[in-house]
Short mmCIF file of all heavy atoms in Angstrom, two decimals:
data_model
loop_
_atom_site.label_atom_id
_atom_site.label_comp_id
_atom_site.label_asym_id
_atom_site.label_seq_id
_atom_site.Cartn_x
_atom_site.Cartn_y
_atom_site.Cartn_z
N ASN U 1264 -17.65 -8.28 -1.39
CA ASN U 1264 -19.05 -8.08 -1.04
C ASN U 1264 -19.20 -7.23 0.18
O ASN U 1264 -20.27 -7.27 0.82
CB ASN U 1264 -19.73 -9.46 -0.84
CG ASN U 1264 -21.23 -9.38 -0.89
OD1 ASN U 1264 -21.77 -8.67 -1.71
ND2 ASN U 1264 -21.86 -10.12 0.00
N LEU U 1265 -18.18 -6.46 0.55
CA LEU U 1265 -18.22 -5.74 1.82
C LEU U 1265 -18.62 -4.29 1.75
O LEU U 1265 -18.64 -3.63 2.80
CB LEU U 1265 -16.80 -5.82 2.44
CG LEU U 1265 -16.37 -7.25 2.88
CD1 LEU U 1265 -14.96 -7.22 3.44
CD2 LEU U 1265 -17.32 -7.82 3.96
N SER U 1266 -18.96 -3.78 0.59
CA SER U 1266 -19.22 -2.35 0.45
C SER U 1266 -20.26 -1.88 1.44
O SER U 1266 -20.07 -0.86 2.15
CB SER U 1266 -19.65 -2.01 -0.96
OG SER U 1266 -18.59 -2.27 -1.88
N ASP U 1267 -21.43 -2.55 1.50
CA ASP U 1267 -22.48 -2.12 2.39
C ASP U 1267 -22.08 -2.22 3.86
O ASP U 1267 -22.41 -1.34 4.67
CB ASP U 1267 -23.79 -2.91 2.08
CG ASP U 1267 -24.36 -2.57 0.79
OD1 ASP U 1267 -24.08 -1.49 0.22
OD2 ASP U 1267 -25.19 -3.38 0.24
N ILE U 1268 -21.39 -3.30 4.22
CA ILE U 1268 -20.97 -3.51 5.57
C ILE U 1268 -20.02 -2.40 5.98
O ILE U 1268 -20.11 -1.79 7.08
CB ILE U 1268 -20.34 -4.91 5.74
CG1 ILE U 1268 -21.45 -5.94 5.61
CG2 ILE U 1268 -19.63 -5.01 7.11
CD1 ILE U 1268 -20.89 -7.37 5.58
N VAL U 1269 -19.07 -2.07 5.11
CA VAL U 1269 -18.06 -1.04 5.40
C VAL U 1269 -18.79 0.31 5.53
O VAL U 1269 -18.49 1.13 6.42
CB VAL U 1269 -16.98 -0.98 4.32
CG1 VAL U 1269 -16.08 0.26 4.51
CG2 VAL U 1269 -16.15 -2.26 4.34
N ARG U 1270 -19.68 0.63 4.62
CA ARG U 1270 -20.40 1.87 4.64
C ARG U 1270 -21.15 2.08 5.97
O ARG U 1270 -21.13 3.15 6.57
CB ARG U 1270 -21.37 1.97 3.48
CG ARG U 1270 -21.97 3.38 3.32
CD ARG U 1270 -23.07 3.36 2.25
NE ARG U 1270 -22.60 3.05 0.93
CZ ARG U 1270 -22.92 2.00 0.26
NH1 ARG U 1270 -23.64 1.06 0.80
NH2 ARG U 1270 -22.44 1.77 -0.97
N ARG U 1271 -21.82 1.00 6.44
CA ARG U 1271 -22.52 1.07 7.70
C ARG U 1271 -21.57 1.23 8.90
O ARG U 1271 -21.87 1.96 9.84
CB ARG U 1271 -23.44 -0.13 7.88
CG ARG U 1271 -24.61 -0.20 6.91
CD ARG U 1271 -25.67 -1.15 7.40
NE ARG U 1271 -25.22 -2.53 7.62
CZ ARG U 1271 -25.17 -3.45 6.66
NH1 ARG U 1271 -25.53 -3.13 5.43
NH2 ARG U 1271 -24.77 -4.66 6.95
N THR U 1272 -20.44 0.56 8.81
CA THR U 1272 -19.49 0.64 9.93
C THR U 1272 -18.96 2.02 10.09
O THR U 1272 -18.86 2.53 11.20
CB THR U 1272 -18.35 -0.38 9.68
OG1 THR U 1272 -18.81 -1.69 9.75
CG2 THR U 1272 -17.25 -0.18 10.69
N VAL U 1273 -18.50 2.67 8.99
CA VAL U 1273 -17.84 3.94 9.12
C VAL U 1273 -18.79 5.07 9.50
O VAL U 1273 -18.36 6.14 9.88
CB VAL U 1273 -17.07 4.30 7.85
CG1 VAL U 1273 -15.96 3.28 7.54
CG2 VAL U 1273 -18.02 4.46 6.62
N ASP U 1274 -20.09 4.77 9.44
CA ASP U 1274 -21.05 5.76 9.97
C ASP U 1274 -21.01 5.81 11.49
O ASP U 1274 -21.42 6.82 12.09
CB ASP U 1274 -22.47 5.39 9.51
CG ASP U 1274 -22.75 5.72 8.06
OD1 ASP U 1274 -21.98 6.51 7.49
OD2 ASP U 1274 -23.68 5.14 7.48
N ASP U 1275 -20.54 4.70 12.12
CA ASP U 1275 -20.57 4.56 13.57
C ASP U 1275 -19.24 4.56 14.29
O ASP U 1275 -19.16 4.75 15.47
CB ASP U 1275 -21.37 3.31 13.95
CG ASP U 1275 -22.81 3.33 13.56
OD1 ASP U 1275 -23.41 4.46 13.57
OD2 ASP U 1275 -23.37 2.31 13.22
N VAL U 1276 -18.17 4.27 13.53
CA VAL U 1276 -16.87 4.13 14.18
C VAL U 1276 -15.89 5.12 13.56
O VAL U 1276 -15.98 5.48 12.39
CB VAL U 1276 -16.30 2.72 14.11
CG1 VAL U 1276 -17.35 1.70 14.60
CG2 VAL U 1276 -15.87 2.35 12.68
N TYR U 1277 -14.90 5.53 14.34
CA TYR U 1277 -13.92 6.53 13.90
C TYR U 1277 -12.52 6.10 14.22
O TYR U 1277 -11.72 6.77 14.80
CB TYR U 1277 -14.28 7.87 14.61
CG TYR U 1277 -15.69 8.28 14.42
CD1 TYR U 1277 -16.67 8.02 15.38
CD2 TYR U 1277 -16.09 8.89 13.20
CE1 TYR U 1277 -18.02 8.39 15.13
CE2 TYR U 1277 -17.42 9.23 13.00
CZ TYR U 1277 -18.35 9.00 13.95
OH TYR U 1277 -19.66 9.33 13.73
N ILE U 1278 -12.23 4.87 13.74
CA ILE U 1278 -10.88 4.31 13.84
C ILE U 1278 -10.61 3.77 12.43
O ILE U 1278 -11.50 3.56 11.62
CB ILE U 1278 -10.79 3.20 14.89
CG1 ILE U 1278 -11.87 2.14 14.66
CG2 ILE U 1278 -10.90 3.79 16.30
CD1 ILE U 1278 -11.77 0.95 15.61
N PRO U 1279 -9.31 3.47 12.15
CA PRO U 1279 -8.96 2.93 10.83
C PRO U 1279 -9.68 1.60 10.54
O PRO U 1279 -9.81 0.75 11.40
CB PRO U 1279 -7.43 2.77 10.90
CG PRO U 1279 -7.00 3.76 11.91
CD PRO U 1279 -8.11 3.77 12.96
N VAL U 1280 -10.12 1.46 9.29
CA VAL U 1280 -10.72 0.24 8.79
C VAL U 1280 -9.96 -0.26 7.62
O VAL U 1280 -9.75 0.52 6.63
CB VAL U 1280 -12.20 0.53 8.43
CG1 VAL U 1280 -12.81 -0.74 7.81
CG2 VAL U 1280 -13.01 0.97 9.65
N CYS U 1281 -9.53 -1.50 7.68
CA CYS U 1281 -8.82 -2.15 6.56
C CYS U 1281 -9.75 -3.24 5.98
O CYS U 1281 -10.41 -3.94 6.78
CB CYS U 1281 -7.51 -2.75 7.02
SG CYS U 1281 -6.54 -3.58 5.71
N VAL U 1282 -9.78 -3.34 4.67
CA VAL U 1282 -10.65 -4.27 4.02
C VAL U 1282 -9.88 -5.15 3.05
O VAL U 1282 -9.02 -4.66 2.32
CB VAL U 1282 -11.79 -3.53 3.24
CG1 VAL U 1282 -12.66 -4.52 2.47
CG2 VAL U 1282 -12.63 -2.70 4.19
N GLY U 1283 -10.14 -6.44 3.07
CA GLY U 1283 -9.49 -7.35 2.17
C GLY U 1283 -10.46 -8.38 1.57
O GLY U 1283 -11.56 -8.60 2.08
N GLY U 1284 -10.01 -9.02 0.51
CA GLY U 1284 -10.81 -10.05 -0.14
C GLY U 1284 -11.32 -9.62 -1.49
O GLY U 1284 -12.14 -8.68 -1.61
N GLY U 1285 -10.84 -10.26 -2.55
CA GLY U 1285 -11.40 -10.03 -3.88
C GLY U 1285 -11.05 -8.75 -4.57
O GLY U 1285 -11.61 -8.38 -5.58
N LEU U 1286 -10.10 -7.99 -4.02
CA LEU U 1286 -9.63 -6.75 -4.65
C LEU U 1286 -8.57 -7.04 -5.68
O LEU U 1286 -7.49 -7.50 -5.32
CB LEU U 1286 -9.14 -5.79 -3.53
CG LEU U 1286 -10.14 -5.48 -2.44
CD1 LEU U 1286 -9.51 -4.69 -1.31
CD2 LEU U 1286 -11.35 -4.71 -3.00
N ARG U 1287 -8.87 -6.76 -6.92
CA ARG U 1287 -7.98 -7.23 -8.01
C ARG U 1287 -7.43 -6.11 -8.85
O ARG U 1287 -6.64 -6.35 -9.76
CB ARG U 1287 -8.79 -8.14 -8.96
CG ARG U 1287 -9.25 -9.41 -8.29
CD ARG U 1287 -10.25 -10.20 -9.20
NE ARG U 1287 -11.46 -9.39 -9.38
CZ ARG U 1287 -12.26 -9.47 -10.41
NH1 ARG U 1287 -11.91 -10.27 -11.43
NH2 ARG U 1287 -13.34 -8.76 -10.49
N SER U 1288 -7.82 -4.87 -8.57
CA SER U 1288 -7.39 -3.73 -9.44
C SER U 1288 -7.40 -2.43 -8.64
O SER U 1288 -7.97 -2.33 -7.56
CB SER U 1288 -8.31 -3.61 -10.64
OG SER U 1288 -9.61 -3.23 -10.22
N VAL U 1289 -6.77 -1.41 -9.23
CA VAL U 1289 -6.81 -0.08 -8.64
C VAL U 1289 -8.27 0.37 -8.54
O VAL U 1289 -8.65 1.04 -7.60
CB VAL U 1289 -5.95 0.88 -9.50
CG1 VAL U 1289 -6.24 2.36 -9.06
CG2 VAL U 1289 -4.48 0.57 -9.36
N GLU U 1290 -9.07 0.06 -9.53
CA GLU U 1290 -10.49 0.46 -9.53
C GLU U 1290 -11.23 -0.21 -8.37
O GLU U 1290 -12.07 0.43 -7.73
CB GLU U 1290 -11.15 0.07 -10.83
CG GLU U 1290 -10.68 0.91 -12.01
CD GLU U 1290 -9.25 0.59 -12.47
OE1 GLU U 1290 -8.80 -0.57 -12.26
OE2 GLU U 1290 -8.59 1.52 -13.01
N ASP U 1291 -10.93 -1.49 -8.10
CA ASP U 1291 -11.56 -2.15 -6.96
C ASP U 1291 -11.19 -1.50 -5.66
O ASP U 1291 -12.04 -1.32 -4.77
CB ASP U 1291 -11.14 -3.61 -6.91
CG ASP U 1291 -11.73 -4.51 -8.00
OD1 ASP U 1291 -12.69 -4.04 -8.64
OD2 ASP U 1291 -11.23 -5.61 -8.20
#
């Protein structure tokens, strides 16, 4: 459920962002 949070974050920060939780496939 982090898509919107990540999208808002990367608009403002310029460092690596790693995301986890509920990723089950290459498509995810």
Side-chain angles (χ1 to χ4, degrees):
N1264 196 40
L1265 293 177
S1266 295
D1267 289 341
I1268 291 172
V1269 172
R1270 189 188 296 111
R1271 292 198 302 272
T1272 293
V1273 298
D1274 285 341
D1275 294 327
V1276 309
Y1277 306 97
I1278 54 176
V1280 175
C1281 181
V1282 176
L1286 303 171
R1287 296 170 294 153
S1288 66
V1289 169
E1290 290 71 27
D1291 288 346

